[in-house]
Amino acid sequence: MYDDVWGEAGSYEVTVELTDTEIDGRSRASETVTISDPDEQLLGVALGSEEVGEPIGFRVGESLSDLA
């Protein structure tokens, strides 16, 4: 885990770029996520998940099971 990634509650622009690979024709994604509890919340990147609705998507939760 990375401590102190979120400085405070608020909206953050997140971006991920895959090198030398694509998922459904995409290798990059960006989104604004909202963090309400920076001490507890995690950011997950979903790759090829049907539950997210995009080839590359982001999820925020308080545990790894929230991100599944």
Side-chain angles (χ1 to χ4, degrees):
M1 299 260 188
Y2 298 95
D3 292 334
D4 301 325
V5 171
W6 313 120
E8 58 188 44
S11 296
Y12 291 86
E13 180 72 20
V14 294
T15 301
V16 65
E17 186 168 349
L18 307 176
T19 303
D20 299 325
T21 194
E22 291 183 349
I23 299 172
D24 292 337
R26 294 193 45 201
S27 63
R28 185 176 197 276
S30 294
E31 185 176 318
T32 301
V33 297
T34 300
I35 301 298
S36 57
D37 188 346
D39 291 329
E40 297 296 325
Q41 288 182 302
L42 309 166
L43 174 68
V45 179
L47 303 174
S49 172
E50 293 179 11
E51 292 182 24
V52 177
E54 295 289 331
I56 304 170
F58 301 95
R59 296 187 117 169
V60 174
E62 292 185 6
S63 69
L64 291 177
S65 61
D66 290 342
L67 305 177

